[in-house]
Amino acid sequence: MTTGYPSGNAGDEVYTASMVIPPATPVDVSGLFFSEYAEGSSNNKYLEIYNPNPNAIDLNNFYIANNSEADSRISLSEYSKIQGLGYLVVNLDSLVSQNSLNNGAGSIYLFFGNEIKDSLTFGSQASNYSIGRQVRDLTWSLNYPTPGAVNKVAPSGNISGIRINEWLANTDQLNQNEFIELVNPDQFPVKLSGASLSDSLNLNDNLMTIPDLSFIGPNSYAAIKPCLLYTSPSPRDRTRSRMPSSA
């Protein structure tokens, strides 16, 4: 705004100028979300984070962890910032080396300070594939690995061809080594999520449900740990399962 007034000398006026600077609009950090996860091969697991905001976001005080208590974490401050409408690919080997992700199953959390901004829980993963989020509706699906780029959905086969191939039960008191091995003879990967295993012909008895985002690769095997499944008489009454020594 500009104002003026006479100075007292004929023909002269003195003007002063003032400017109102609006407060800076804070960047919405809540928009960051996990967009892709891949098991990779050997020590090559990665997590992709996407920034849907047009502006870059400073990653100071952001970190990812393997549980909601953030016992093991990776700070994102070393990456400085994530560009607007951009991707950040984070190597997860250090989390995996701390036994935080078991046989391709586990959870990952995105923290800003003490606040959880996003999370991902998944089951067994198909080799040479990733799981990715579709920006349109934020749903997860099986993808071809595309770190740092737009996700590409992969086709999948029918679960009807999956067979039980091997079974090891109750090797010790903690049941740490027991597993059920599934085989997929199909040329396409198959989604296992929601499928159930049981030691009974009664479909309502002791069902062990395979968790969401579980897959088996084409012409591949998947060793499913019963301790990572849920025995579920009803969705409101879930306990971790164990296998009997005989069935």
Side-chain angles (χ1 to χ4, degrees):
M1 179 177 66
T2 302
T3 60
Y5 58 91
S7 64
N9 298 322
D12 290 339
E13 289 184 339
V14 176
Y15 290 89
T16 61
S18 63
M19 181 180 296
V20 177
I21 301 176
T25 302
V27 177
D28 179 16
V29 299
S30 65
L32 293 185
F33 60 82
F34 294 150
S35 52
E36 186 180 10
Y37 169 78
E39 281 288 290
S41 59
S42 186
N43 293 327
N44 191 28
K45 297 172 173 57
Y46 70 83
L47 177 72
E48 180 188 85
I49 301 173
Y50 181 65
N51 176 16
N53 299 290
N55 301 314
I57 291 181
D58 188 334
L59 293 175
N60 186 41
N61 211 28
F62 276 95
Y63 58 92
I64 57 177
N66 55 30
N67 57 53
S68 58
E69 286 74 38
D71 297 331
S72 301
R73 64 179 68 180
I74 295 177
S75 173
L76 300 183
S77 59
E78 64 179 275
Y79 297 96
S80 181
K81 63 178 62 176
I82 179 170
Q83 297 300 324
L85 306 177
Y87 301 90
L88 174 68
V89 179
V90 182
N91 186 287
L92 294 179
D93 291 346
S94 61
L95 280 183
V96 176
S97 66
Q98 298 175 44
N99 297 320
S100 56
L101 304 178
N102 302 298
N103 280 350
S107 297
I108 306 175
Y109 295 81
L110 175 65
F111 280 86
F112 178 67
N114 294 322
E115 184 179 358
I116 296 176
K117 289 297 183 181
D118 197 10
S119 64
L120 168 64
T121 297
F122 49 90
S124 61
Q125 297 298 293
S127 298
N128 301 317
Y129 290 85
S130 68
I131 50 175
R133 215 170 196 170
Q134 309 313 306
V135 176
R136 181 180 63 258
D137 55 11
L138 299 184
T139 57
W140 288 91
S141 62
L142 186 68
N143 278 222
Y144 294 112
T146 57
V150 176
N151 292 336
K152 184 178 180 182
V153 176
S156 58
N158 195 297
I159 197 172
S160 62
I162 301 299
R163 297 291 183 265
I164 295 176
N165 190 63
E166 188 178 356
W167 173 23
L168 178 66
N170 291 344
T171 58
D172 56 39
Q173 289 183 341
L174 297 178
N175 302 317
Q176 292 178 327
N177 298 315
E178 62 179 358
F179 65 86
I180 302 170
E181 183 184 76
L182 304 179
V183 61
N184 174 23
D186 199 336
Q187 61 178 330
F188 293 103
V190 171
K191 180 180 179 180
L192 299 175
S193 309
S196 298
L197 299 167
S198 178
D199 58 359
S200 172
L201 293 178
N202 185 345
L203 295 180
N204 295 317
D205 185 21
N206 199 30
L207 286 181
M208 297 179 291
T209 303
I210 298 177
D212 290 340
L213 297 176
S214 297
F215 299 90
I216 183 172
N219 301 304
S220 297
Y221 303 88
I224 307 295
K225 286 182 172 289
C227 64
L228 299 178
L229 305 180
Y230 286 100
T231 301
S232 182
S234 71
R236 294 170 295 178
D237 182 20
R238 291 187 168 186
T239 58
R240 291 294 182 181
S241 64
R242 58 176 294 176
M243 294 167 60
S245 58
S246 63

